[in-house]
């Protein structure tokens, strides 16, 4: 029958009005048949389900549970018994003076690659083990940069640099120092965040000390196993709050490794005197616990009391084994960060970069920003988005800035409004405030609660907005324009201060381009991670706006270097504050002319020398330097020139004694 044939290729589209009666009958029969088929299918499924009792069981969930059980090698064992490791022999290392052949080439601190002289090649039995060529340092650095530029991703570039460091430390640091603007984001933030997320997968060789809470009775033994004698500074983390990425467990060791690379690259602390450490207390990160490649303790974190005991044992062991070593705490979760700093700062030579270093570098930028803003000191009001360890640490540093300018502590504190995820931090908000937040909790809000950042800005009318939230985009256009409006209301010629400081870039509160556009180019900007300059066309020419990076690298290397050289017994608040003040004064004429508030990153070593010098002088004034009295008398006679020369003479500068070929 003709009507039973239907071509889908036809351009005629059937509609309810155009459908023929015959077509409708066929459609009705087809529909009835389809319904009958569905009923039959459902009936069949029910019968099959009745015959198969496993049909209602979530097989995938059971398989996941079995997988987790297989990964849990500690299940059923007591978790509060700890043995002590007994090593029966010491490690005998060949001294550098006696090493030859591959003993030299396979020790990264001794290997000089193609910079070995003919005499060294003969005396060290290297003939034939390396190419019969001598190259200048510049050529070797250029080769390395060519390789880096062929890598497609930042992780690949990081892995190449890590491999280079594992083979030739001098060349690695020469490459880093000579190309610091390009390579620092690879060695540290933002790339190091991605490295930490993937550390267990990327792992090929040990680069640190891994101290497990399961071996807490053997911390001294583990410390003594470090192959390089008498380290002068360590960076220690428990991985509980890595950047803005949360609890990464043992994967957080990448932050200790990266940080110490900057102590060397930015301040010249010898790489053989640095010690990265991770305290493996387990992790509450479900992804890590489920990851078959995870290298850490596959257990949840212990109670705060047990973690505190472990930390006490660690600090005691460090002071016993390496009494001259400075300890820098890194990326502990907020409550522990404040508690550990308060507990140990007067007993051991230690500091917390998240609290004190971040505070100092932001304060240094703020000092410069206030000078450029046109807003008088007495009219400055600051809103902080983020009330964690970094936010509170920064705000406290700024309180000291105001007290040193004549304000009482209470008057200085009243210049700050802190905002967290629940809104403005107030004493009557109704929730239990964390201890570190209470210092800045407002009591002058007359019972009114401000739940959003926009509401707080409208209420406070701030001159500065600081972000430490680890939340990308929280500084929206409406927020930034409201900040500008509140500054403009004070009079002409005033500029808003905007510091989105969270790392890495994926956590930045806003971008530099957004800040420029939303403030019509008037913003004084500093970020935690690097942004590129931004050009805006104005008629026949373009105006270039220069970002500032408020990176801790401007401060913590200088604090560490100054503490080491001054042989301090502890690191005081005065030393940290002076680090900030001296950084603010370290800009040169060109940087000031560009409206910058930090030195160019290429001058980070110059800034570190200034910071270290002023930290040493502060240590002397505070009575915590244990250097011989006669040494200080000499410097006090000859001043900064003599002390600066001393510091530069102690700085590691690879190949500095090598002449270019």
């Amino acid at each position: 029958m003709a009507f039973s044939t239907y071509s889908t290729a036809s351009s005629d589209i059937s509609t309810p009005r155009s459908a023929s009666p015959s077509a409708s009958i066929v459609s009705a029969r087809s529909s009835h048949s389809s319904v009958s088929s569905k009923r039959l299918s459902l009936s069949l499924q029910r019968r099959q389900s009745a015959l198969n009792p496993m049909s209602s069981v979530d097989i995938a969930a059971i398989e996941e549970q079995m997988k987790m059980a297989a990964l849990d090698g500690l299940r059923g064992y007591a978790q509060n018994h700890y043995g002590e490791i007994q090593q029966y022999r010491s490690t005998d290392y060949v001294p550098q003076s006696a090493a030859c052949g591959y003993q030299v080439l396979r020790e990264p601190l001794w290997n000089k690659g193609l910079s070995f002289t003919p005499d060294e090649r003969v005396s060290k039995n290297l003939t034939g083990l390396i190419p019969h060529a001598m190259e200048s340092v510049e050529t070797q650095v250029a080769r390395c940069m060519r390789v880096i530029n062929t890598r497609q991703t930042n992780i690949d570039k990081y892995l190449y640099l890590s491999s280079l460091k594992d083979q030739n430390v001098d060349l690695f640091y020469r490459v880093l120092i000579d190309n610091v603007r390009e390579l620092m984001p690879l060695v540290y933030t933002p790339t190091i965040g991605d490295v930490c997320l993937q550390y267990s997968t990327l792992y090929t060789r040990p680069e640190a000390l891994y101290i497990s809470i399961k071996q807490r009775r053997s911390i001294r033994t583990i410390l003594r196993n470090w192959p390089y004698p008498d380290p002068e500074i360590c960076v220690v983390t428990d991985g509980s709050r890595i950047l803005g990425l949360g609890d990464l467990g043992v994967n957080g060791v990448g932050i200790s490794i990266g940080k110490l690379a900057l102590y060397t690259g930015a301040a010249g602390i010898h790489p053989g005197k640095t010690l990265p450490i991770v305290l493996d207390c387990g992790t509450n990160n479900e992804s890590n616990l489920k990851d078959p490649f995870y290298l850490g303790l596959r257990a949840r974190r212990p109670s705060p009391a047990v973690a505190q005991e472990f930390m006490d044992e660690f600090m005691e062991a460090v002071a016993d084994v390496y009494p001259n070593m400075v300890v820098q705490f890194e990326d502990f979760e907020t409550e522990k960060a404040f508690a550990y700093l308060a507990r140990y700062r007067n007993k051991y030579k230690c500091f917390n970069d998240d609290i004190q270093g971040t505070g100092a570098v932001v304060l240094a930028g703020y000092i410069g920003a206030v000078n450029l803003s046109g807003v008088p000191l007495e009219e400055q009001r600051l809103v902080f988005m983020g009330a964690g360890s970094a936010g509170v640490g920064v705000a406290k540093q700024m309180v000291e800035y105001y007290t040193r300018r004549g304000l009482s502590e209470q008057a200085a504190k009243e210049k700050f409004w802190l905002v967290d995820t629940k809104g403005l931090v107030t004493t009557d908000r109704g929730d239990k405030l964390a201890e570190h937040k209470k210092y800045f909790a407002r009591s002058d809000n007359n019972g009114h609660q401000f739940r959003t950042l926009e509401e707080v800005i409208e209420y406070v009318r701030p001159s500065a907005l600081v972000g430490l939230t680890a939340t990308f985009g929280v500084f929206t256009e409406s927020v930034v324009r409201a900040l500008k409006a509140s500054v403009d209301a004070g009079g002409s010629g005033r500029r808003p201060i905007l510091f989105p400081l969270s790392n890495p870039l994926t956590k930045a509160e806003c971008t530099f381009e957004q800040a420029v556009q939303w403030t019509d180019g008037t913003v004084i900007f500093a970020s935690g991670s690097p942004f590129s300059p931004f050009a805006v066309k104005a008629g026949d020419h373009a105006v270039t706006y220069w970002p500032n990076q408020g990176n801790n690298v401007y401060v913590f290397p200088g604090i560490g270097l100054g503490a080491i050289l001054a042989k301090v017994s502890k690191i005081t608040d005065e030393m940290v504050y002076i680090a900030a003040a001296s950084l603010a004064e370290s800009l040169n004429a060109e940087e000031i002319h560009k409206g910058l508030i930090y030195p160019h990153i290429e001058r980070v070593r110059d800034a570190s020398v200034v910071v270290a010098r002023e930290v040493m002088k502060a240590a002397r004034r505070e009575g915590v330097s244990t250097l011989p009295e006669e040494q200080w008398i000499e410097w006090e006679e000859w001043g900064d020139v003599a002390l600066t020369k001393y510091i530069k003479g102690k700085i590691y500068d690879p190949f500095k004694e090598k002449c270019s070929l």
Side-chain angles (χ1 to χ4, degrees):
M1 296 174 64
F3 62 78
S4 65
T5 303
Y6 177 74
S7 173
T8 58
S10 171
S11 60
D12 296 330
I13 305 299
S14 177
T15 67
R17 288 189 179 183
S18 66
S20 67
S22 299
S24 299
I25 293 169
V26 171
S27 176
R29 287 174 180 172
S30 175
S31 175
H32 178 74
S33 174
S34 175
V35 170
S36 298
S37 297
K38 287 180 181 178
R39 288 174 179 169
L40 181 62
S41 176
L42 288 171
S43 177
L44 182 60
Q45 287 178 12
R46 290 193 188 101
R47 278 196 228 112
Q48 288 176 338
S49 297
L51 294 173
N52 180 13
M54 293 299 293
S55 61
S56 62
V57 177
D58 190 341
I59 301 296
I62 293 176
E63 289 177 343
E64 181 67 20
Q65 290 175 1
M66 293 175 67
K67 179 182 175 182
M68 288 295 295
L71 291 173
D72 186 3
L74 298 175
R75 183 179 50 172
Y77 293 97
Q79 299 299 307
N80 56 355
H81 297 158
Y82 309 99
E84 183 173 352
I85 296 170
Q86 299 293 330
Q87 293 185 172
Y88 299 103
R89 56 178 294 181
S90 59
T91 305
D92 297 322
Y93 292 102
V94 176
Q96 184 176 2
S97 59
C100 59
Y102 271 112
Q103 293 172 330
V104 175
L105 297 180
R106 289 177 174 168
E107 171 48 62
L109 283 172
W110 302 343
N111 183 18
K112 296 192 291 185
L114 296 175
S115 294
F116 282 113
T117 66
D119 286 344
E120 288 171 330
R121 296 176 189 222
V122 172
S123 64
K124 295 291 185 182
N125 294 355
L126 300 177
T127 304
L129 298 182
I130 53 178
H132 186 67
M134 286 185 63
E135 289 185 343
S136 68
V137 175
E138 292 78 9
T139 299
Q140 294 176 67
V141 169
R143 177 185 291 108
C144 293
M145 290 305 299
R146 174 175 289 187
V147 174
I148 290 169
N149 290 329
T150 64
R151 298 296 192 260
Q152 298 302 308
T153 69
N154 286 344
I155 288 286
D156 288 337
K157 293 177 181 182
Y158 173 90
L159 291 175
Y160 170 75
L161 286 167
S162 182
S163 175
L164 177 62
K165 185 172 66 171
D166 192 48
Q167 299 170 49
N168 188 333
V169 166
D170 282 353
L171 183 56
F172 167 80
Y173 280 108
R174 189 72 269 158
V175 172
L176 175 60
I177 292 166
D178 291 352
N179 301 275
V180 65
R181 179 174 292 278
E182 183 175 353
L183 299 187
M184 193 174 75
L186 300 176
V187 172
Y188 199 56
T189 57
T191 304
I192 200 64
D194 293 330
V195 171
C196 287
L197 286 170
Q198 304 177 54
Y199 180 81
S200 288
T201 303
L202 298 173
Y203 177 85
T204 57
R205 62 189 180 280
E207 300 177 79
L209 279 184
Y210 306 81
I211 303 179
S212 169
I213 194 171
K214 302 290 285 185
Q215 297 176 322
R216 59 190 289 186
R217 298 286 182 260
S218 306
I219 298 175
R220 286 170 176 78
T221 298
I222 296 171
L223 289 170
R224 292 189 180 103
N225 280 343
W226 185 246
Y228 304 109
D230 303 319
E232 295 175 335
I233 190 162
C234 80
V235 174
V236 59
T237 184
D238 71 346
S240 57
R241 189 198 60 82
I242 299 298
L243 300 173
L245 304 172
D247 181 357
L248 300 188
V250 80
N251 290 343
V253 69
I255 210 77
S256 297
I257 296 166
K259 202 96 177 187
L260 285 168
L262 296 186
Y263 271 106
T264 298
I269 297 173
H270 194 282
K273 296 297 182 181
T274 65
L275 173 53
I277 298 176
V278 61
L279 301 179
D280 186 4
C281 303
T283 178
N284 293 333
N285 186 319
E286 290 293 338
S287 297
N288 285 344
L289 294 173
K290 294 178 181 178
D291 181 2
F293 299 116
Y294 180 60
L295 294 172
L297 183 62
R298 205 175 297 276
R300 296 197 176 277
R301 291 186 177 274
S303 67
V306 173
Q308 179 72 79
E309 292 172 1
F310 182 40
M311 197 67 191
D312 286 345
E313 292 162 4
F314 169 74
M315 293 300 292
E316 290 170 7
V318 164
D320 183 27
V321 178
Y322 299 127
N324 297 319
M325 185 170 71
V326 174
V327 177
Q328 188 229 290
F329 303 124
E330 181 71 16
D331 283 356
F332 288 82
E333 60 184 333
T334 300
E335 292 299 319
K336 286 190 288 188
F338 279 100
Y340 292 172
L341 180 60
R343 187 177 183 89
Y344 304 126
R345 63 183 306 175
N346 292 318
K347 186 176 182 181
Y348 304 108
K349 45 180 76 71
C350 63
F351 72 105
N352 184 302
D353 183 54
D354 303 304
I355 298 172
Q356 296 166 290
T358 302
V361 79
V362 177
L363 172 57
Y366 181 69
I367 292 172
V370 168
N371 294 334
L372 297 174
S373 71
V375 179
L377 208 61
E378 60 272 14
E379 295 181 32
Q380 291 284 340
R381 295 181 299 278
L382 301 93
V383 168
F384 275 64
M385 186 63 193
S389 60
V392 173
V394 170
K396 284 188 173 180
Q397 289 282 11
M398 291 186 175
V399 165
E400 187 174 358
Y401 167 74
Y402 281 106
T403 58
R404 287 173 180 251
R405 281 152 182 78
L407 274 68
S408 67
E409 182 179 356
Q410 183 61 33
K413 190 168 63 170
E414 289 175 355
K415 285 185 169 291
F416 297 82
W417 286 259
L418 270 60
V419 183
D420 62 14
T421 56
K422 297 178 182 177
L424 182 65
V425 177
T426 63
T427 57
D428 60 352
R429 196 167 65 177
D431 59 323
K432 183 179 180 182
L433 291 178
E435 194 63 35
H436 67 278
K437 296 182 183 181
K438 293 179 180 178
Y439 181 81
F440 285 105
R442 305 292 302 202
S443 59
D444 56 354
N445 55 314
N446 297 319
H448 187 69
Q449 305 305 324
F450 301 89
R451 301 299 183 186
T452 68
L453 182 56
E454 288 88 344
E455 290 177 2
V456 173
I457 291 177
E458 179 65 27
Y459 168 62
V460 175
R461 312 295 292 173
S463 58
L465 177 59
V466 178
L468 286 156
T469 63
T471 304
F472 181 77
V474 72
F475 289 173
T476 62
E477 181 173 359
S478 62
V479 165
V480 176
R481 290 195 180 279
L483 170 67
K484 181 180 186 301
S486 71
V487 173
D488 289 346
S492 61
R494 298 189 174 198
R495 301 173 62 190
I497 299 171
L498 185 64
F499 286 5
L501 297 172
S502 292
N503 285 314
L505 284 171
T506 55
K507 302 291 184 179
E509 287 80 7
C510 72
T511 68
F512 179 53
E513 181 177 340
Q514 289 171 337
V516 171
Q517 291 177 333
W518 295 341
T519 62
D520 302 323
T522 61
V523 70
I524 303 171
F525 178 95
S527 59
S529 288
F531 286 99
S532 299
F534 177 59
V536 177
K537 282 192 174 182
D540 296 333
H541 65 285
V543 177
T544 300
Y545 295 91
W546 300 91
N548 293 278
Q549 186 184 358
N551 195 312
N552 293 22
V553 74
Y554 285 114
V555 168
F556 70 77
I559 293 176
L561 179 62
I564 291 168
L565 296 182
K567 297 187 183 301
V568 301
S569 57
K570 64 179 181 178
I571 295 172
T572 66
D573 285 339
E574 173 70 9
M575 294 163 64
V576 176
Y577 181 87
I578 288 299
S582 59
L583 174 60
E585 296 173 355
S586 67
L587 278 72
N588 61 26
E590 184 231 343
E591 291 157 350
I592 294 171
H593 179 73
K594 283 185 174 180
L596 299 180
I597 54 178
Y598 295 108
H600 287 302
I601 196 63
E602 290 84 357
R603 289 206 316 112
V604 67
R605 281 201 150 205
D606 296 337
S608 292
V609 169
V610 173
V611 170
R613 184 188 68 211
E614 298 306 313
V615 165
M616 291 179 71
K617 290 158 65 176
R620 166 68 167 175
R621 294 192 300 272
E622 294 276 278
V624 297
S625 172
T626 63
L627 284 173
E629 181 70 14
E630 56 270 20
Q631 180 70 80
W632 277 112
I633 291 175
E634 177 184 331
W635 290 333
E636 287 163 356
E637 177 182 355
W638 294 102
D640 284 348
V641 173
L643 181 52
T644 301
K645 182 179 180 182
Y646 174 83
I647 294 170
K648 289 183 175 180
K650 296 290 185 179
I651 284 178
Y652 166 79
D653 193 2
F655 298 107
K656 67 177 180 179
E657 297 178 356
K658 310 295 184 299
C659 296
S660 297
L661 297 173

